[in-house]
Amino acid sequence: MICFLPFVHIVAGSFASVEEVLQKRFILFPTTFSLDAYRYIFSTDIIFRSLIISILVTVVGTAFSMFLTSLMAYGLSRKDLDGRRVLMFLVVFTMLFSGGMIPTFLVVRSLGLLDTYWALIIPTAINAFNLIILKNFFQNIPESLEESAKIDGCNDVGIFFRIVFPLSMPAIATISLFYAVTYWNTFMQAILYLNDSSMWPIQVLLRQIVIMSSGMQGDLTELGAGFVMPPEQTIKMAVIVVATIPVLIVYPFIQKHFAKGALLGSVKG
């Protein structure tokens, strides 16, 4: 209820009139429905373009990150890997110390990634925390399964894709959701690396809309001339709903994997 009621208040407030939002401190059901906030947000095709950009970045980025993270995590989970401790130290080191914003920007610029969507994906392709979680999960898979596969003539690549990966769906789904939420909420990277406003993902565009609705100085030309200034509070609530709903729609499809045990389906009896 602590998590649910505030979200209901945000959704109800986005459909309420500005007078009701100002008069009531907490709204669970609006007495007067108003779609002004959503008309304002969706009054041009720019919002749909940004939605498509965010969806593509999220899908491609999640798949790319999971491919790299799962391969590296599987390699580090093998006890016979030479230099395993050194590699793990380097991974953990990045969790404590990082290059910072300016060095990262210089690297992205030197690689020619500015004003490309790869600038939103490659710098954050592997998250050290997610990598460690996945590595520990792979280590819990019984070695007898891999030994049986090797006896049947399966190599390391085949063992990973045919045995380890299918048995790791709970962990894969969890880490995929972490990556998907990260890419969907891409904000600072887009501001730093994308100078072309037509390439903005949904989070940056919604920020621009909030700036305009708050009466602050914003580049109105970037959002087109078709906008009509809506109530400020309802706009902010509608922006939260638009940015949150897509993730909530995806979650039920992978919820079953969260409820599964770590080794469910691998070895029974």
Side-chain angles (χ1 to χ4, degrees):
M1 296 298 292
I2 293 176
C3 298
F4 182 70
L5 288 179
F7 184 74
V8 173
H9 166 66
I10 293 296
V11 175
S14 66
F15 288 101
S17 61
V18 62
E19 293 82 6
E20 186 174 3
V21 172
L22 295 177
Q23 293 174 0
K24 297 181 180 180
R25 300 182 61 181
F26 193 78
I27 302 174
L28 290 180
F29 191 83
T31 56
T32 304
F33 280 87
S34 174
L35 296 176
D36 292 341
Y38 293 97
R39 290 195 187 100
Y40 173 71
I41 294 177
F42 293 102
S43 60
T44 123
D45 59 351
I46 296 178
I47 190 74
F48 297 102
R49 181 181 62 198
S50 295
L51 278 171
I52 294 175
I53 291 173
S54 289
I55 292 173
L56 291 177
V57 170
T58 300
V59 172
V60 175
T62 301
F64 185 70
S65 293
M66 285 307 305
F67 179 75
L68 296 181
T69 302
S70 59
L71 288 181
M72 185 174 182
Y74 178 67
L76 292 176
S77 68
R78 301 302 90 193
K79 297 180 180 179
D80 56 346
L81 176 67
D82 295 334
R84 176 170 172 262
R85 293 182 178 274
V86 176
L87 293 175
M88 276 304 305
F89 172 78
L90 295 177
V91 170
V92 175
F93 185 83
T94 61
M95 298 178 63
L96 305 176
F97 304 97
S98 63
M101 180 186 301
I102 295 178
T104 303
F105 177 84
L106 296 177
V107 172
V108 172
R109 186 181 65 177
S110 64
L111 294 176
L113 298 178
L114 291 181
D115 287 326
T116 66
Y117 295 122
W118 286 111
L120 308 181
I121 298 175
I122 293 180
T124 56
I126 297 180
N127 180 275
F129 179 77
N130 295 337
L131 175 67
I132 293 175
I133 292 178
L134 205 55
K135 179 192 80 71
N136 294 335
F137 187 92
F138 290 156
Q139 285 180 335
N140 292 328
I141 296 179
E143 297 181 1
S144 57
L145 292 176
E146 300 182 21
E147 293 174 357
S148 300
K150 290 181 179 180
I151 293 175
D152 292 337
C154 194
N155 56 20
D156 291 331
V157 177
I159 292 174
F160 175 74
F161 286 104
R162 294 184 181 182
I163 297 179
V164 175
F165 194 85
L167 295 178
S168 305
M169 287 310 299
I172 296 295
T174 303
I175 302 302
S176 296
L177 181 63
F178 291 164
Y179 276 124
V181 172
T182 300
Y183 284 115
W184 180 259
N185 292 329
T186 296
F187 175 75
M188 184 58 66
Q189 291 89 345
I191 292 180
L192 291 175
Y193 307 139
L194 300 181
N195 298 316
D196 188 356
S197 61
S198 64
M199 300 177 65
W200 282 351
I202 187 65
Q203 304 296 344
V204 180
L205 183 64
L206 292 178
R207 167 185 173 271
Q208 191 71 13
I209 294 176
V210 171
I211 290 177
M212 292 171 55
S213 67
S214 300
M216 299 173 61
Q217 292 184 353
D219 192 353
L220 304 180
T221 60
E222 301 294 351
L223 299 175
F227 279 124
V228 178
M229 189 61 64
E232 176 184 347
Q233 294 297 327
T234 54
I235 272 293
K236 293 180 179 180
M237 294 180 178
V239 163
I240 295 175
V241 173
V242 172
T244 307
I245 288 297
V247 177
L248 295 180
I249 293 176
V250 173
Y251 178 77
F253 294 98
I254 59 178
Q255 181 183 6
K256 61 180 181 180
H257 297 294
F258 284 83
K260 290 185 177 180
L263 297 177
L264 182 62
S266 57
V267 178
K268 294 184 179 180

